[in-house]
Amino acid sequence: MLELQNRLKEFTEVHDEFISAWNDAMSSGDTSEVNRMTDDYYVAFFRSGIEKPIIFSKQEAVNGMEQSVKHLLGANKRFENRVIRLKDNENAAVFYEQLIVKNEEVLARLFTIENWQLINGKWMIIRETEEQIK
């Protein structure tokens, strides 16, 4: 049990750094520090409750991330109501509400689930699910 608690603490620190890297990317436009996806990473994006999701590969997600960061330069990305759960010592899930705010206006609001895996001593995102709220 102690080992799992230590792993949770370690992963929480990694995710805190990930959040900080996102805020840096939103001000600088440099997304290199938030590109922590595995080669077979994918994201399922839901626009509304009745539509089927759009599935993006890693390369499509990276391209979209770079474009949106450049478009939203100076905005702030908030990770609210975050919950982290370890599935085991090498797999974690992070749930949160993501807000993109610029000039005190909420431009986007999403529910996000990230699935992370410890690979060769480094935590990597293996898949992500996002549902647009606003």
Side-chain angles (χ1 to χ4, degrees):
M1 188 64 166
L2 184 59
E3 182 180 350
L4 201 57
Q5 289 174 335
N6 288 338
R7 186 64 62 139
L8 177 60
K9 182 180 178 195
E10 168 195 312
F11 177 76
T12 300
E13 290 172 4
V14 167
H15 202 265
D16 288 347
E17 291 169 7
F18 181 67
I19 289 171
S20 179
W22 259 113
N23 287 322
D24 291 346
M26 296 301 284
S27 14
S28 71
D30 178 9
T31 60
S32 59
E33 291 299 313
V34 293
N35 187 345
R36 300 182 188 192
M37 295 89 103
T38 59
D39 288 339
D40 57 351
Y41 163 91
Y42 66 93
V43 60
F45 184 82
F46 293 84
R47 288 186 190 255
S48 72
I50 59 173
E51 292 180 21
K52 290 184 178 183
I54 302 168
I55 307 293
F56 296 100
S57 68
K58 177 185 178 178
Q59 191 57 55
E60 291 167 329
V62 168
N63 292 345
M65 174 178 68
E66 290 171 351
Q67 288 173 3
S68 65
V69 165
K70 286 177 184 168
H71 176 71
L72 296 167
L73 204 58
N76 185 309
K77 191 171 194 175
R78 295 186 194 159
F79 297 72
E80 297 193 353
N81 305 307
R82 180 178 70 164
V83 176
I84 297 174
R85 293 292 181 261
L86 291 183
K87 298 176 183 181
D88 55 36
N89 276 338
E90 297 179 351
N91 292 280
V94 183
F95 308 82
Y96 56 87
E97 180 181 355
Q98 182 182 154
L99 300 172
I100 310 239
V101 180
K102 189 169 187 177
N103 300 325
E104 298 184 33
E105 179 186 352
V106 176
L107 304 176
R109 189 170 159 232
L110 306 152
F111 286 136
T112 302
I113 302 171
E114 298 169 345
N115 288 272
W116 292 70
Q117 187 172 56
L118 186 61
I119 301 171
N120 297 323
K122 185 174 181 180
W123 285 100
M124 303 289 290
I125 306 172
I126 58 172
R127 74 178 167 275
E128 198 170 338
T129 304
E130 292 192 352
E131 183 172 345
Q132 185 176 9
I133 303 165
K134 175 184 179 186

